[in-house]
């Protein structure tokens, strides 16, 4: 189970790096990646001061979050996994931030559904397949500018970019590339860095680290 000391330790590490890096973002959000975690683990994380959570699947999120959000309405929920166009409406209803726009069709579906929903503050990020890996989702780096522009033109509030770099290489250069794409498009948010590479992420300018294992424990996920 998540502990206060763990959250404090990670926040201190992040602050240290932030204070010593030229590229660091003015603020870094700690997002708890809660896929596979039950309600009890999530409530424990909230008790430790975590206020931002990320889920990978719309259906799993719909099963556990509505009742938690009733009690903790200030929690900010991000979708950090792939989204199918037929789930766009459900995703818009539940999530505050959708980090995984990766194709024009999805941006169009979101824009068309959003028009039918009551207004709510929402943010969107473009997921970039920064290592051009066939098994990963995300727009190719060279096609990112076009997708960003197109998504903005549809009226979606695009605030940043998200990536999951290849596991077999050092992440620094990939984070640097994501940062470069964000900068040239005037986007200020960078969702980059997970349990194994969040300190590098912060050093390279991450504004949001998505942490699962370091927070909840290696083997804490339900099957
Ligand atoms: C699971 C997941 C994370 C957290 O990964 P850890 O290595 O457990 O920290 C972050 N981002 C995405 C997109 C994930 O699916």
């Amino acid at each position: 189970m998540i502990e206060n000391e763990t959250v404090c330790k990670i926040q201190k590490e992040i602050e240290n790096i932030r204070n010593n890096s030229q590229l660091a973002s003015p603020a870094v959000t700690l997002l708890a990646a809660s896929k596979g975690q039950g309600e009890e683990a999530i409530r424990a994380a909230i008790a430790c001061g975590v206020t931002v959570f990320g889920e990978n699947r719309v259906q799993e999120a719909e099963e556990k979050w509505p009742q938690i959000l009733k009690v903790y309405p200030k929690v900010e929920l991000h979708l950090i996994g792939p989204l199918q166009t037929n789930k766009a409406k459900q995703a818009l209803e539940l999530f505050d931030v959708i980090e995984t726009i990766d194709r024009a069709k999805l941006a169009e579906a979101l824009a068309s559904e959003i028009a039918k929903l009551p207004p709510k503050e929402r943010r969107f990020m473009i997921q970039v397949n920064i290592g051009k890996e066939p098994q990963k989702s995300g727009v190719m780096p060279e096609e990112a500018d076009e997708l960003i522009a197109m998504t903005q033109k549809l009226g979606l509030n695009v605030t940043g970019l998200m990536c999951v770099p290849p596991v077999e290489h050092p992440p620094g250069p990939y984070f640097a590339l994501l940062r470069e794409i964000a900068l040239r498009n005037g986007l200020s948010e960078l969702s980059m860095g997970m349990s194994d590479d969040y300190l590098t992420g912060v050093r390279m300018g991450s504004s949001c680290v998505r942490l699962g294992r370091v927070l909840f424990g290696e083997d804490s996920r339900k099957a």
Side-chain angles (χ1 to χ4, degrees):
M1 192 64 76
I2 187 168
E3 287 177 3
N4 245 320
E5 291 91 288
T6 313
V7 177
C8 284
K9 188 188 120 233
I10 292 171
Q11 270 162 347
K12 273 200 196 114
E13 284 174 336
I14 291 175
E15 271 315 287
N16 268 335
I17 303 263
R18 229 178 47 70
N19 291 328
N20 291 297
S21 167
Q22 301 278 323
L23 302 180
S25 161
V28 178
T29 298
L30 190 163
L31 174 151
S34 50
K35 60 171 175 273
Q37 303 295 336
E39 213 177 307
E40 195 192 351
I42 290 172
R43 283 173 185 269
I46 295 171
C48 290
V50 177
T51 59
V52 181
F53 288 80
E55 286 286 343
N56 287 69
R57 291 155 160 271
V58 176
Q59 193 183 330
E60 180 185 338
E62 278 182 330
E63 283 161 16
K64 60 193 196 194
W65 276 99
Q67 53 267 38
I68 304 173
L69 290 171
K70 250 185 233 156
V71 187
Y72 303 100
K74 292 224 170 100
V75 163
E76 184 177 281
L77 202 56
H78 293 219
L79 179 65
I80 60 173
L83 178 58
Q84 289 167 345
T85 49
N86 62 5
K87 297 249 174 77
K89 174 166 180 279
Q90 287 145 282
L92 287 165
E93 282 170 333
L94 184 59
F95 293 96
D96 303 290
V97 181
I98 292 176
E99 295 199 9
T100 50
I101 295 183
D102 60 354
R103 58 200 190 281
K105 272 232 154 30
L106 177 58
E108 282 161 2
L110 288 165
S112 122
E113 291 299 339
I114 215 169
K116 302 176 209 157
L117 291 170
K120 161 172 142 180
E121 250 192 70
R122 296 186 177 90
R123 307 197 315 273
F124 297 89
M125 305 181 85
I126 306 291
Q127 180 174 5
V128 182
N129 188 347
I130 204 72
K132 302 190 180 193
E133 296 173 280
Q135 79 279 15
K136 281 211 178 118
S137 33
V139 64
M140 287 297 155
E142 62 273 18
E143 291 162 13
D145 294 0
E146 195 184 341
L147 182 60
I148 294 164
M150 185 257 176
T151 307
Q152 287 173 327
K153 208 167 158 202
L154 288 166
L156 299 179
N157 179 23
V158 181
T159 56
L161 305 178
M162 177 269 209
C163 79
V164 181
V167 285
E168 65 274 16
H169 301 293
Y174 295 104
F175 291 157
L177 178 57
L178 193 75
R179 184 168 182 277
E180 201 180 293
I181 300 172
L183 279 178
R184 71 167 180 249
N185 285 283
L187 301 174
S188 59
E189 288 193 84
L190 288 169
S191 176
M192 57 187 202
M194 301 167 45
S195 288
D196 291 327
D197 56 17
Y198 65 97
L199 295 178
T200 307
V202 173
R203 193 172 291 118
M204 302 307 291
S206 174
S207 61
C208 178
V209 292
R210 308 180 309 269
L211 305 180
R213 289 166 298 141
V214 284
L215 287 179
F216 294 106
E218 287 287 336
D219 305 313
S220 60
R221 272 181 216 155
K222 292 183 175 168

